[in-house]
Amino acid sequence: MSTTMKKGAEILIDAVHKEGVEYIFGYPGGSAIPIFDALLDSPIKFVLTRHEQGATHMADGYARATGRPGVVLVTSGPGATNTITGIFTAHMDSVPIVIICGQMPTFTLGLDAFQEADVWGISSPIVKHSYLIKKIEDIPRIVKEAFHIAQTGRPGPVLIDMPRDVSSKIIDPIGISPNITLPGYRIPDKIDQKDIETAAKYLSEAKKPIIMIGHGAIISKAYKAISFLIEKMRIPVVNTLLGKGCFPETHELNLGMPGMHGTAYANKALEECDLIMAIGARWDDRITSKADAFCAKAIKIHIDIDPAEINKIIEVDLAIIGDAKEVVEAINVVAKKGNTEEWIKFVNKLKKQFPLKYKKEGKLKVQHVLDELYKLTEGKSIVATDVGQHQMWTAQFYKTSFPNQWISSGGAGTMGFGLPSAIGAQIGMPERQVVVIVGDGGFQMTMSELATASRLKLPIKIILINNNYLGMVRQWQNIFYENRLSGVVLEGNPNFVQIAKGYGIKGFFIKRSADVRKVLGEALKYNEGPCLIDIEVEKEDNVYPMVPAGAPLSSMILEPPKKKTNKSTGGA
């Protein structure tokens, strides 16, 4: 037999390695055994997780922190379907991951074989593209195409379904072409110069302009171009939840995050602006709320690489389809500074008039914890979050200053995302300090990944905000449903410090405000592996400001309403 003969699984792993992949996250199973066997002879490092959802979130966190695609390897049936939540999360936030699934042999497809699932069909609505490999000769091309599609244009997840007979078949791969064949795949590459000049003209003439930075600006690495534009033109800026880090939130011109739980001064500035230019932001409903009332007085410019986002939520006056970095660089060449100094004075007055604040008396507040964390880390940590109240408070109080610093589930709002995404980020960025803030609800969805963090001795700081509630749902029930609390009380929470110790992880506990700085300081200095800080906080605190869903920004609630009598059904 020729020494060049290889199994399909070996050809697959070789092709993945050629894409520069260093880590694969996953969980084995019968249909994927040939691929796992091929991994043994590869320089790629395999990270064994405790659940396929965890693996997908780790690949996602790795991709967000490094800018490189994350890779997942799982088996067929439930192994593949367990990745769906993670794939959906990456899809909603335009994160490049490649998911490789083992599959039953091709001759059993459609016969309801053991652990057969139509993963191609199930995943189709939430991937950028998916493949079912039926011929071994197609493997190199499909792998190359998958990574190309995942990373180019608007990034996203791509799935490769690999039947066991194809991964086990043996051929001589010499001469098999890996060349990409994508006749229907187009990435916008031409920018209309007239549109650039029109945008520059609008910016120069505006008296009250605002630039809104979204995740797409970070993906395109447009941060330097955007910083140049903001400082040259002296234009105030807001960033979406996933736009955090593109332009320093400590900068005098940054108003922070607008929208449902954004800063009051950002929202009030949006109400008054006469121009808003969105860069790589899709006018998400958590920002715009009542779309027809959003920035009603303003000229609207939208820069986006995905034509499908244009006029989808907000009708704009000018759309420029293209890579954010290239578009902003072109605008920088022709734009002339307008007169915005009075506008800057106005928004600075708003900052002083409506600052972020919280009451310090009473039980320990989450805001206090995050304020101290920010000071202790000097704002330099990579910060991952789960989803809920703690996520919004972290977005408000932990100001970001560099790209890929902020890792959070935006579009999907996936509980359970925090811990595994932080593991992926720490693996991808071993020289950086990674802190993850989780709630007691979402944390318990994927806390089995403590085993992964412990085994790899990753120095992640897990800050557990423990209020015995599903806090954000409780807040909505409190404000909009007469405090009729249904299914939100987390009765039976375990001793999280003891759980951590069971995994060989150092645990800390904080209950008093006076202990926050000291204990957090000790935890941040601990680098022998992961550590968990269980922080018992005020149980019924709410996140403010808050714009009710579907209401205009002018309906923003700044202060807590009067307390109502609690009528609770508890939790099952």
Side-chain angles (χ1 to χ4, degrees):
M1 185 180 290
S2 169
T3 56
T4 60
M5 299 294 284
K6 288 190 175 184
K7 291 182 179 180
E10 295 174 298
I11 297 170
L12 174 78
I13 293 299
D14 285 348
V16 169
H17 183 243
K18 286 177 182 176
E19 295 297 325
V21 173
E22 296 180 280
Y23 294 94
I24 291 179
F25 305 87
Y27 202 93
S31 292
I33 287 177
I35 306 173
F36 277 87
D37 184 67
L39 261 180
L40 286 174
D41 300 317
S42 167
I44 298 174
K45 301 177 184 69
F46 178 69
V47 178
L48 175 63
T49 66
R50 290 298 180 265
H51 192 281
E52 292 89 351
Q53 180 180 345
T56 318
H57 291 327
M58 286 181 205
D60 184 315
Y62 176 91
R64 296 192 202 217
T66 65
R68 302 189 296 273
V71 182
V72 181
L73 174 59
V74 298
T75 194
S76 62
T81 59
N82 278 346
T83 67
I84 293 299
T85 296
I87 295 172
F88 170 57
T89 303
H91 169 71
M92 288 292 283
D93 291 348
S94 303
V95 180
I97 63 173
V98 175
I99 310 94
I100 302 168
C101 304
Q103 180 57 279
M104 299 306 295
T106 53
F107 51 84
T108 68
L109 296 181
L111 301 179
D112 294 330
F114 177 69
Q115 290 194 336
E116 180 197 349
D118 179 11
V119 184
W120 189 93
I122 292 169
S123 65
S124 286
I126 54 169
V127 294
K128 193 173 176 186
H129 195 62
S130 58
Y131 292 92
L132 172 62
I133 302 180
K134 293 184 178 180
K135 293 166 57 180
I136 190 172
E137 295 84 1
D138 291 337
I139 294 173
R141 173 184 59 80
I142 285 175
V143 170
K144 196 171 186 66
E145 287 180 3
F147 278 85
H148 176 73
I149 292 170
Q151 297 175 83
T152 54
R154 181 178 183 175
V158 177
L159 184 138
I160 300 174
D161 206 16
M162 182 77 155
R164 193 168 66 236
D165 58 327
V166 179
S167 61
S168 299
K169 187 175 180 180
I170 299 174
I171 66 166
D172 186 342
I174 299 298
I176 296 178
S177 172
N179 293 336
I180 290 174
T181 307
L182 295 170
Y185 185 62
R186 294 284 184 272
I187 301 167
D189 57 357
K190 291 183 179 180
I191 304 168
D192 191 322
Q193 185 59 31
K194 288 184 179 179
D195 288 341
I196 296 296
E197 291 171 1
T198 301
K201 179 176 180 288
Y202 282 155
L203 287 169
S204 299
E205 293 177 351
K207 301 300 181 185
K208 301 177 181 179
I210 284 181
I211 289 173
M212 182 167 70
I213 304 171
H215 191 205
I218 294 175
I219 292 169
S220 75
K221 299 180 173 59
Y223 16 92
K224 289 184 180 179
I226 289 173
S227 293
F228 181 87
L229 177 66
I230 291 167
E231 292 177 348
K232 172 186 176 180
M233 302 293 289
R234 296 283 294 163
I235 296 176
V237 62
V238 296
N239 48 248
T240 67
L241 178 70
L242 297 187
K244 281 173 68 70
C246 184
F247 183 73
E249 290 184 295
T250 53
H251 195 283
E252 61 165 340
L253 293 174
N254 198 322
L255 303 177
M257 183 179 74
M260 180 172 284
H261 292 296
T263 64
Y265 42 85
N267 285 338
K268 287 183 176 294
L270 286 175
E271 285 188 90
E272 295 296 325
C273 73
D274 63 4
L275 177 143
I276 179 168
M277 183 167 77
I279 305 174
R282 58 187 180 86
W283 312 95
D284 176 73
D285 62 276
R286 283 298 190 261
I287 297 289
T288 59
S289 196
K290 186 175 173 58
D292 59 2
F294 181 75
C295 296
K297 308 171 187 175
I299 290 172
K300 300 174 183 70
I301 304 171
H302 191 182
I303 299 168
D304 206 295
I305 200 164
D306 185 357
E309 292 298 338
I310 304 301
N311 294 326
K312 187 172 83 174
I313 296 173
I314 296 288
E315 290 285 334
V316 298
D317 299 282
L318 175 64
I320 306 177
I321 298 170
D323 177 79
K325 180 173 180 284
E326 293 177 6
V327 173
V328 176
E329 285 177 342
I331 291 173
N332 284 338
V333 173
V334 295
K336 296 179 181 179
K337 184 180 179 302
N339 184 6
T340 60
E341 292 311 312
E342 288 302 315
W343 174 232
I344 291 170
K345 288 178 184 178
F346 177 77
V347 296
N348 283 338
K349 185 178 178 181
L350 289 177
K351 281 185 176 183
K352 292 177 181 178
Q353 191 175 356
F354 301 100
L356 285 171
K357 59 183 179 179
Y358 59 95
K359 293 181 180 179
K360 297 184 180 180
E361 65 269 14
K363 293 183 180 179
L364 177 57
K365 302 293 192 296
V366 180
Q367 301 96 312
H368 178 196
V369 173
L370 297 170
D371 209 11
E372 290 293 345
L373 176 68
Y374 177 72
K375 291 172 184 174
L376 287 167
T377 61
E378 298 178 339
K380 295 178 181 178
S381 295
I382 290 176
V383 177
T385 78
D386 212 279
V387 168
Q389 286 183 312
H390 67 276
Q391 177 191 31
M392 295 296 99
W393 275 316
T394 308
Q396 290 176 348
F397 285 88
Y398 201 101
K399 297 183 186 299
T400 51
S401 56
F402 56 88
N404 304 323
Q405 180 183 6
W406 175 259
I407 298 171
S408 193
S409 171
T414 303
M415 291 177 68
F417 174 81
L419 174 61
S421 71
I423 291 172
Q426 188 71 84
I427 289 172
M429 303 294 285
E431 74 287 355
R432 299 302 301 269
Q433 183 179 78
V434 175
V435 177
V436 57
I437 295 91
V438 298
D440 49 342
F443 176 63
Q444 292 182 79
M445 291 184 174
T446 54
M447 73 178 180
S448 58
E449 299 306 341
L450 288 172
T452 308
S454 177
R455 180 172 55 82
L456 298 175
K457 298 188 184 305
L458 300 173
I460 300 168
K461 323 303 174 189
I462 305 161
I463 296 177
L464 173 59
I465 303 301
N466 189 348
N467 64 2
N468 286 103
Y469 276 116
L470 298 176
M472 190 58 84
V473 183
R474 182 207 57 76
Q475 175 169 334
W476 280 52
Q477 290 177 348
N478 169 245
I479 298 174
F480 304 115
Y481 291 85
E482 299 180 339
N483 208 40
R484 292 165 57 85
L485 305 185
S486 179
V488 294
V489 183
L490 292 177
E491 296 174 325
N493 266 354
N495 183 320
F496 291 108
V497 170
Q498 290 299 320
I499 292 283
K501 287 181 179 178
Y503 283 103
I505 291 173
K506 188 173 181 62
F508 298 87
F509 180 74
I510 302 175
K511 187 175 183 178
R512 301 188 313 144
S513 298
D515 296 333
V516 171
R517 188 171 184 83
K518 178 184 175 184
V519 178
L520 276 184
E522 290 177 15
L524 290 169
K525 291 175 184 175
Y526 180 79
N527 288 309
E528 296 175 28
C531 65
L532 182 143
I533 309 98
D534 181 5
I535 307 178
E536 189 175 304
V537 298
E538 168 66 51
K539 292 182 183 234
E540 297 184 348
D541 202 5
N542 289 342
V543 184
Y544 294 101
M546 181 181 186
V547 178
L553 296 182
S554 58
S555 298
M556 177 172 53
I557 304 169
L558 294 174
E559 300 287 345
K562 292 181 181 180
K563 286 189 176 181
K564 299 174 182 177
T565 303
N566 182 14
K567 182 177 180 181
S568 172
T569 64

